[in-house]
Amino acid sequence: MKDTSHSGPAVEAVDLHRRYGPTGPGGFDAVRGLDLTVRRGELFALLGTNGAGKTSTMELLEGLAAPTGGQVRVLGHDPHRERTAVRPRIGIMLQEGGFPGDLTVTETCRGWAGLTSGARPVGEALDLVGLGGRAGVRVKQLSGGERRRLDLAVALLGRPEVLFLDEPSTGLDPEARAAVWRLVRTLREDGTTVLLTTHYLEEAEELADRLAIMHAGRIAATGTVSEVIAGRPAKIAFELPERCGPYEAIGLPALPAADITADGRRITVRTPQLQADLTDLLGWAAHHGVALGGLEARSATLEEAFLAIAAEAAATPETIGSPR
Ligand SMILES: Nc1ncnc2c1ncn2[C@@H]1O[C@H](COP(=O)(O)OP(=O)(O)OP(=O)(O)O)[C@@H](O)[C@H]1O
């Protein structure tokens, strides 16, 4: 029977470190003092630039490797040392499942189901990921996207309380990706805690209750999507009519908080006060009878926040760090 007595966070990491290779020269610190809490029933996305340390972190949280320093708790247990307590309650979708190519889809799932207590029927797991029609096909004959879905089916066999998904939709076409998003949402609605890594920012925007952006082994920003983009400049863009002449000469309103750039007649305003500056611009345009062509005005996107946070983190000396 599953132990559901633990009422704390689903996943908790405190001052987590992971070093590859020896202490001192020749070693590399991939995770450098990471703190992370994933609440029960939450969908949490771990984002980061290439090499930020997402997979290295996930492997520690999944119990597949021991940390060099710090602590991990999954459902109240150390996932590495107390593997037998944790493993039956979690599902893991690695970046590459690496299943033998000569087995069929069903044989692969049956093999895993045999090692899993209380496994759901293989056909049900395959239907969940849309592979029901490919049950008799050999793994080596599956497309890349179908293999990703098989990885997901295997992760779901044990009806996990906590599901770790490492880049679940990489290699999927847009339709298959949308299907995986629907499935992940359903699992979350049923109470499954999901921790996923992704390079697709729209995936995090669509799915995540909260997210963290990693850089160089640390968390550079964390919160809800709105919290992470809050304070990032909004964008107003428009094109001036030809009769206005060069941008410098036309006397746009001052907008002291904004950063204004011109590319020919196309003007881009980046501002922390979208409503006030837009009001000033529209008032100015109405007063002078100027039509602002292709006008767009919007808050910062997660992508803009991500790029800015990664650039800031890269420019901050202590985030670059030196080997421990
Ligand atoms: N076995 C290893 N030995 C030495 N260095 C490693 C090893 N595995 C990973 N690294 C290094 O650790 C850093 C973090 O790698 P990791 O795969 O965790 O990053 P990631 O954020 O998952 O990257 P990506 O987005 O490219 O998958 C990288 O610089 C990588 O080269």
Side-chain angles (χ1 to χ4, degrees):
M1 210 174 92
K2 288 183 176 175
D3 164 24
T4 51
S5 56
H6 171 71
S7 60
V11 178
E12 194 168 25
V14 179
D15 194 25
L16 205 56
H17 288 264
R18 182 169 188 184
R19 183 176 179 84
Y20 294 109
T23 312
F28 180 74
D29 291 301
V31 182
R32 306 173 182 210
L34 178 136
D35 296 315
L36 183 76
T37 302
V38 182
R39 301 172 196 135
R40 289 279 191 134
E42 185 171 53
L43 202 151
F44 194 97
L46 197 54
L47 310 175
T49 44
N50 281 129
K54 301 178 294 296
T55 298
S56 300
T57 301
M58 288 288 268
E59 287 173 356
L60 299 179
L61 305 180
E62 292 157 351
L64 299 177
T68 322
Q71 274 204 339
V72 189
R73 289 283 176 272
V74 173
L75 299 168
H77 298 277
D78 181 322
H80 190 69
R81 291 204 203 127
E82 299 173 85
R83 196 159 170 66
T84 47
V86 176
R87 190 63 191 90
R89 301 173 64 187
I90 67 175
I92 301 176
M93 179 185 182
L94 298 172
Q95 264 185 35
E96 287 192 20
F99 300 124
D102 282 330
L103 295 182
T104 66
V105 166
T106 296
E107 286 164 350
T108 303
C109 287
R110 278 212 192 109
W112 280 92
L115 302 170
T116 308
S117 62
R120 64 172 96 227
V122 165
E124 182 186 311
L126 293 179
D127 285 342
L128 277 174
V129 300
L131 276 184
R134 306 287 279 160
V137 174
R138 291 190 196 287
V139 169
K140 65 184 173 196
Q141 291 165 334
L142 295 177
S143 72
E146 286 172 336
R147 279 185 210 203
R148 283 314 275 149
R149 284 189 273 157
L150 176 59
D151 294 338
L152 181 54
V154 169
L156 293 175
L157 276 169
R159 305 176 199 275
E161 289 167 65
V162 183
L163 184 60
F164 293 94
L165 305 175
D166 203 349
E167 298 190 20
S169 60
T170 297
L172 299 187
D173 64 37
E175 196 187 338
R177 180 171 303 154
V180 166
W181 288 2
R182 278 197 299 277
L183 172 58
V184 169
R185 266 196 213 104
T186 309
L187 291 164
R188 184 186 157 282
E189 277 159 22
D190 291 345
T192 309
T193 305
V194 183
L195 178 51
L196 64 84
T197 72
T198 183
H199 283 290
Y200 300 112
L201 297 174
E202 79 269 26
E203 184 159 286
E205 265 175 325
E206 278 286 325
L207 296 177
D209 298 307
R210 287 191 307 132
L211 59 90
I213 298 177
M214 277 191 82
H215 180 78
R218 290 192 180 90
I219 289 185
T222 188
T224 61
V225 172
S226 325
E227 285 166 355
V228 168
I229 65 177
R232 300 282 154 192
K235 180 180 167 187
I236 305 169
F238 54 89
E239 199 158 308
L240 289 166
E242 231 161 295
R243 69 173 175 82
C244 282
Y247 149 69
E248 293 79 6
I250 57 172
L252 279 174
L255 312 182
D259 175 32
I260 305 176
T261 51
D263 178 10
R265 288 184 292 120
R266 185 88 188 150
I267 310 295
T268 302
V269 177
R270 296 201 181 270
T271 173
Q273 41 186 50
L274 176 59
Q275 186 174 343
D277 285 0
L278 185 61
T279 305
D280 283 0
L281 273 170
L282 292 177
W284 171 86
H287 184 73
H288 292 88
V290 173
L292 302 177
L295 175 65
E296 56 170 306
R298 56 158 179 77
S299 304
T301 61
L302 182 59
E303 183 174 355
E304 287 165 346
F306 177 92
L307 292 172
I309 289 163
E312 285 160 17
T316 307
E318 69 263 28
T319 68
I320 296 164
S322 56
R324 259 157 55 100

